[in-house]
Amino acid sequence: MSTILFTVFTKPYRSEIPDLARHIAGFGFDGVELPVRPGYPVRPENAETELPRAVKTFADFGLRIESIAGPTDERTIATCGAAGVPVIRICVSIRPDETYDEGVARLRREFDDALPHLERYGVTLGIQNHYGRDICHAMGLRHLLEPYDPTLVAAVWDAAHNALQGEEPELALDIVWPRLRMVNLKNAFWQRTNGPEAEVARWRPYWTSGRHGLASWPRVAASLRSREYSGVVCLTAEYDDGDRLDTLLAEDIAFARSLFHR
């Protein structure tokens, strides 16, 4: 029987850790993905002391820190290992001055440098697809990660970015399945930013709730259920209508649980 752990990326919230843990506990999540970034309570320079404290504080509210979004240096990897945080999630880009193959070669060199630390401290580096010049779709993730043991370097498949790039979710999950560590659920659609009189159309993603974007959460959930997926499903709480953040997040976790618990 599969076990799904629902987490939320707390990037939209900049509260101190006790207030944040208390707030998130009210939504019915199992845990969080915590940003370890400048401007947040846990930052790269204080993570050695503050990440273990955050783990304990969240645990007091029945929540686990299942992943962080932060640096991938040895110090941070060691801190995650000691604190029991299993995954560091990152997105990776092909630079404007690189070809695709050059970018993949550079990224693999960076992963190779991290491998001894990941193995030593028992942490997984999770690579997420992202629209644009990032590694943006499932086949890109599979190709990039082919040389690696998925216990050390694995795929974090994002349904919304996948849909923005036009991939069918069932096929995308087929492609990344052997290397899949986490699933991100959010949603978006392409919104035109200029009028029909413009010489060339311009578009941007509009980040919306789980029911209303290009990514079919019901299809994603059905595909994962059919594979008996066990692991983390992270709602990344990204909404253009930021004033309704709490309302939309509450609706989305209820929707997600209804899809996986049928």
Side-chain angles (χ1 to χ4, degrees), residues 89-102:
R89 178 189 62 84
I90 62 172
C91 298
V92 290
S93 296
I94 306 299
R95 296 171 179 166
D97 61 346
E98 293 176 321
T99 66
Y100 180 83
D101 286 342
E102 289 169 345

Side-chain angles (χ1 to χ4, degrees), residues 74-175:
E74 182 180 4
R75 179 183 174 190
T76 304
I77 295 169
T79 298
C80 286
V85 176
V87 175
I88 300 174
R89 178 189 62 84
I90 62 172
C91 298
V92 290
S93 296
I94 306 299
R95 296 171 179 166
D97 61 346
E98 293 176 321
T99 66
Y100 180 83
D101 286 342
E102 289 169 345
V104 167
R106 172 183 55 80
L107 291 168
R108 287 178 176 169
R109 289 193 297 270
E110 295 173 4
F111 300 163
D112 291 345
D113 289 343
L115 283 177
H117 310 313
L118 297 166
E119 187 168 17
R120 176 180 178 184
Y121 299 111
V123 175
T124 301
L125 182 60
I127 312 302
Q128 181 209 310
N129 58 302
H130 191 289
Y131 83 95
R133 287 193 64 91
D134 283 31
I135 300 298
C136 60
H137 46 60
M139 188 58 75
L141 279 178
R142 176 170 174 162
H143 174 238
L144 176 65
L145 302 181
E146 276 177 348
Y148 298 102
D149 179 345
T151 65
L152 300 177
V153 185
V156 177
W157 180 74
D158 188 293
H161 289 287
N162 180 87
L164 287 170
Q165 295 299 139
E167 279 189 304
E168 297 296 302
E170 297 86 358
L171 296 180
L173 285 166
D174 281 343
I175 290 165

Side-chain angles (χ1 to χ4, degrees), residues 4-257:
I4 302 296
L5 297 174
F6 289 99
T7 66
V8 58
F9 186 27
T10 60
K11 177 182 174 180
Y13 301 98
R14 293 181 182 255
S15 311
E16 292 303 315
I17 293 297
D19 294 334
L20 177 61
R22 184 179 299 107
H23 187 69
I24 296 299
F27 288 95
F29 285 98
D30 302 303
V32 301
E33 177 172 281
L34 195 70
V36 177
R37 295 174 175 172
Y40 288 90
V42 182
R43 303 181 293 279
E45 67 271 17
N46 70 10
E48 285 178 297
T49 57
E50 295 306 314
L51 184 59
R53 290 177 183 170
V55 168
K56 182 180 184 306
T57 300
F58 276 101
D60 290 342
F61 288 90
L63 299 167
R64 294 152 54 169
I65 300 179
E66 290 289 341
S67 55
I68 69 162
T72 59
D73 58 292
E74 182 180 4
R75 179 183 174 190
T76 304
I77 295 169
T79 298
C80 286
V85 176
V87 175
I88 300 174
R89 178 189 62 84
I90 62 172
C91 298
V92 290
S93 296
I94 306 299
R95 296 171 179 166
D97 61 346
E98 293 176 321
T99 66
Y100 180 83
D101 286 342
E102 289 169 345
V104 167
R106 172 183 55 80
L107 291 168
R108 287 178 176 169
R109 289 193 297 270
E110 295 173 4
F111 300 163
D112 291 345
D113 289 343
L115 283 177
H117 310 313
L118 297 166
E119 187 168 17
R120 176 180 178 184
Y121 299 111
V123 175
T124 301
L125 182 60
I127 312 302
Q128 181 209 310
N129 58 302
H130 191 289
Y131 83 95
R133 287 193 64 91
D134 283 31
I135 300 298
C136 60
H137 46 60
M139 188 58 75
L141 279 178
R142 176 170 174 162
H143 174 238
L144 176 65
L145 302 181
E146 276 177 348
Y148 298 102
D149 179 345
T151 65
L152 300 177
V153 185
V156 177
W157 180 74
D158 188 293
H161 289 287
N162 180 87
L164 287 170
Q165 295 299 139
E167 279 189 304
E168 297 296 302
E170 297 86 358
L171 296 180
L173 285 166
D174 281 343
I175 290 165
V176 301
W177 181 251
R179 303 185 179 281
L180 182 65
R181 178 60 186 263
M182 286 174 51
V183 171
N184 280 358
L185 279 185
K186 57 178 179 274
N187 224 329
F189 54 84
W190 290 108
Q191 181 182 65
R192 186 162 177 171
T193 61
N194 59 357
E197 71 285 351
E199 182 178 359
V200 177
R202 293 194 301 270
W203 304 85
R204 64 176 286 269
Y206 183 92
W207 299 99
T208 186
S209 61
R211 296 177 185 270
H212 295 121
L214 292 170
S216 170
W217 286 19
R219 288 172 63 188
V220 171
S223 187
L224 290 170
R225 291 199 321 270
S226 73
R227 293 170 167 82
E228 298 186 348
Y229 172 74
S230 290
V232 172
V233 172
C234 182
L235 277 61
T236 59
E238 188 168 355
Y239 306 106
D240 273 19
D241 189 357
D243 292 340
R244 299 182 64 224
L245 169 62
D246 283 356
T247 298
L248 294 173
L249 185 57
E251 291 174 357
D252 275 354
I253 183 57
F255 183 40
R257 284 193 178 278

